[in-house]
Amino acid sequence: MLAMLTGRVAAIETGSAIIDVSGVGFEVRMPQSDLASMRAESTVTVYTALSLTQDALTLYGFLSRTSKSLFAQLQKVSGIGPRVALSILATLNSDQLAQAVADGDAAALSRAPGLGKKGAQKIILELSGKLDLDAGTGKQGPAQTDDGAHQVVEGLISLGWMQRDAEQAVEQTCSEGGYSLPLQSADIPKVLKQALTRLDRGR
C-alpha cells in the first residue's frame, strides 16, 4: 500500500502533481489548494490514498493527514467516490466541511463540482457527528510517529475504520502485546491482525 510519499516536486499540472521519489515519478491527484501551496523543485511529503477501479489506478494525495482522513470518511457515504470526495476537499477546507455538516448546510457542500443537493444531504445525514478532525494534531503516539505502526493504521483505515479508532487499537496492541518500537517489518502483519481483531470485538 502507498500511504505516503516524500520527494521532489517535478511538475505541477492541472489537478495533479508529479512527485519524483528516487527517480520514480508518481502522478498524484490533489486538491487545488494543496497544489497552489507547492513549488516545483521543492521537497514535499504527501499523504496518499490509492484508488483501484476496473479501468484505472489513481493515486490521490494531500499535504495533511486530516485531509486524507476526511477523504476516506467521505467515501463511506453511499454514492460518493474518490473524484467527488476530492472535489469537496478542493472546495471546502476541513473546518468548513465540518461546519457545513454540523449546520446541515447542503448549499455549502453542493458548491463542490460533481456534488448535487441530494449527495450533499446524504453526507450530512451519514457523517453528522462522525467527522474525525483530530488526525495529525495534538499529542502524537506511536501510531503517528512510528512508520511501521503508521502503516498498520493506514491499513485499518483502508478497511473502513476511523483514524482515531485505528490509532488507539494499534497503540493498545503494541503496548499489551509487548511489541518493541519502532515496529519491525516482520511485526507489522501481526499487529494489523491483532488490532483488527480488537476493533471487531469492540463493535
Side-chain angles (χ1 to χ4, degrees):
M1 89 188 56
L2 283 171
M4 182 179 72
L5 296 175
T6 297
R8 177 179 62 86
V9 180
I12 299 174
E13 303 174 347
T14 302
S16 65
I18 306 298
I19 310 298
D20 181 342
V21 182
S22 301
V24 179
F26 291 86
E27 181 178 6
V28 187
R29 297 194 60 81
M30 302 179 67
Q32 188 57 44
S33 56
D34 284 356
L35 292 170
S37 69
M38 294 163 57
R39 296 291 179 268
E41 301 303 320
S42 64
T43 298
V44 296
T45 294
V46 178
Y47 299 95
T48 57
L50 187 63
S51 174
L52 176 62
T53 62
Q54 289 184 340
D55 56 359
L57 189 65
T58 307
L59 192 61
Y60 295 89
F62 308 89
L63 294 181
S64 75
R65 287 182 182 173
T66 297
S67 293
K68 178 181 174 179
S69 175
L70 290 174
F71 180 71
Q73 292 176 70
L74 284 167
Q75 291 179 76
K76 295 177 184 177
V77 177
S78 174
I80 303 298
R83 291 184 181 179
V84 174
L86 185 69
S87 175
I88 294 169
L89 292 171
T91 305
L92 303 172
N93 63 35
S94 58
D95 290 334
Q96 291 169 335
L97 173 58
Q99 192 64 51
V101 171
D103 293 344
D105 190 350
L109 287 168
S110 59
R111 291 203 307 267
L115 181 67
K117 188 174 181 180
K118 287 185 178 179
Q121 291 171 338
K122 276 187 177 182
I123 290 173
I124 292 168
L125 179 64
E126 296 187 31
L127 294 185
S128 181
K130 299 178 182 178
L131 284 181
D132 180 8
L133 300 182
D134 292 339
T137 63
K139 183 179 178 182
Q140 292 190 319
Q144 295 167 300
T145 58
D146 180 342
D147 286 342
H150 181 64
Q151 287 183 44
V152 178
V153 170
E154 293 297 334
L156 293 171
I157 291 173
S158 72
L159 293 172
W161 294 97
M162 297 282 284
Q163 177 157 341
R164 181 186 304 170
D165 295 336
E167 289 178 349
Q168 289 177 349
V170 171
E171 290 173 17
Q172 290 171 357
T173 298
C174 289
S175 176
E176 295 177 11
Y179 291 100
S180 60
L181 299 174
L183 201 60
Q184 301 300 307
S185 297
D187 290 332
I188 291 175
K190 300 175 188 176
V191 173
L192 175 60
K193 181 177 180 180
Q194 292 174 24
L196 183 58
T197 298
R198 180 185 295 273
L199 287 166
D200 285 335
R201 284 203 308 263
R203 281 185 170 179

